[in-house]
Amino acid sequence: MRRGRAVQHHRPCPSPRAPGRATEVAPGVHAYLQPPGGWCLNNAGIIVSGGESALVDTAATDSRARHLRTTALALNGASAPRTVVNTHFHGDHAFGNHLFPEALVIGHERTRSEMIAAGLHLTGLWPDVDWGDIELAPPTLTFTDRLTLHVGSVRAELEHIGPAHTSNDTVVWLPEQKVLFTGDLVMNGVTPFCLMGSITGSLAAMERLRAFGATTIVPGHGPLAGPEVFEQTEGYLRLVLQLARDGHRAGRTPVEAARDADLGPYGTLLDSERLVPNLHRAYAELDGTPATDPLPMPVMQTALGEMIEYHGRLPCCLA
């Protein structure tokens, strides 16, 4: 078990990883995985049935989204997807939308508004990444609570759950196949990130996700999983809450609490530096901030700056 985090200025980031790969998890249902799943290496989904296809999310960079497009076309006889569902507004899941001009982009109503507000801001966080010629293409069809999408004979139920990872998380549930695309509500082997959502909301979300009865979970980042992944996520979130309570009671700041923290079994999760912004969100909720209220932008900027300080460098984005 480790405590705190060593400064690592001298270690360069690894080279960008290989493009993603599609794995069939049910007839016509493919998980597009981009291991190992850390910052900006998200998963997506490709649903193919009756000559039609749909995507669940795209990818962060031009080259990665183009590889996703090539893969999707190969799985459906060179026919392009007719719909793209964005699970939330973050650029790693949505910057590739514009490379699917034939598709109707669907998302929660706040996915559209927050994507427009954020723009291409993510690219400024990692200026050394080769983002390529990306353009913003927010959802043009939005919903509030639920929406059903039919892809050939496959029924896909979209449901807004949260606030959790963000205010606008959408899951895609395939009831006949018992496959659940969770977006970043769940990350397998990767540290949850709730700065723009809610710790308590994320815990509530785990109960809703369990209720679907899925046997295959396609997380937003990391390997495929079964329902046991909910326990990993929930355990980490409960630890964050306990660390926040202890640190808050002792008068320590979130970053001070992070330096003193023993992450136990969660210390091996990728991107463990996210503990700092997660503690900022937990502290705010202990101080009475409702789960539905976003943190003020200066607080979020402070949290991200302290995360970099705690980590000893800018986290690696391998997109």
Side-chain angles (χ1 to χ4, degrees), residues 23-257:
T23 299
E24 191 168 33
V25 297
V29 181
H30 307 265
Y32 184 84
L33 306 175
Q34 297 192 95
W39 292 102
C40 299
L41 287 180
N42 66 297
N43 296 329
I46 307 169
I47 303 170
V48 180
S49 176
E52 299 181 9
S53 65
L55 294 182
V56 181
D57 286 328
T58 56
T61 66
D62 181 276
S63 63
R64 287 185 174 276
R66 289 184 184 279
H67 187 271
L68 172 61
R69 180 180 175 88
T70 299
T71 303
L73 265 62
L75 289 171
N76 193 35
S79 295
R82 295 177 59 185
T83 51
V84 171
V85 178
N86 286 145
T87 59
H88 59 292
F89 79 95
H90 287 162
D92 52 336
H93 295 256
F95 279 170
N97 289 359
H98 73 101
L99 291 173
F100 297 87
E102 309 89 345
L104 175 68
V105 182
I106 303 172
H108 186 263
E109 58 189 8
R110 291 193 66 171
T111 298
R112 174 178 169 83
S113 61
E114 295 194 23
M115 193 181 298
I116 292 171
L120 301 179
H121 175 72
L122 183 65
T123 64
L125 297 179
W126 285 284
D128 294 336
V129 169
D130 183 8
W131 297 98
D133 189 18
I134 55 176
E135 302 172 14
L136 203 65
T140 53
L141 175 64
T142 63
F143 66 98
T144 303
D145 298 312
R146 293 177 177 84
L147 183 71
T148 300
L149 174 67
H150 296 273
V151 185
S153 62
V154 176
R155 177 186 177 94
E157 298 178 357
L158 284 55
E159 183 172 335
H160 171 240
I161 295 180
H165 173 62
T166 68
S167 69
N168 52 92
D169 301 293
T170 293
V171 299
V172 179
W173 166 233
L174 310 184
E176 293 184 7
Q177 294 78 11
K178 294 192 179 299
V179 175
L180 182 65
F181 293 88
T182 66
D184 286 357
L185 290 174
V186 173
M187 305 187 202
N188 185 18
V190 182
T191 303
F193 186 58
C194 302
L195 179 64
M196 300 174 189
S198 168
I199 300 292
T200 56
S202 292
L203 282 166
M206 291 307 106
E207 290 304 311
R208 177 67 190 103
L209 296 186
R210 282 194 182 94
F212 282 108
T215 55
T216 301
I217 312 299
V218 183
H221 296 253
L224 293 170
E228 71 282 351
V229 75
F230 301 140
E231 297 177 11
Q232 176 193 92
T233 304
E234 188 175 62
Y236 172 84
L237 294 169
R238 293 197 182 283
L239 175 60
V240 169
L241 276 181
Q242 187 58 55
L243 292 172
R245 292 189 190 103
D246 293 345
H248 195 274
R249 190 180 305 116
R252 296 195 296 272
T253 66
V255 71
E256 289 170 343

Side-chain angles (χ1 to χ4, degrees), residues 269-283:
L269 297 179
L270 290 178
D271 307 329
S272 60
E273 64 273 6
R274 293 175 181 171
L275 176 62
V276 175
N278 288 337
L279 284 171
H280 272 273
R281 180 67 216 187
Y283 270 52

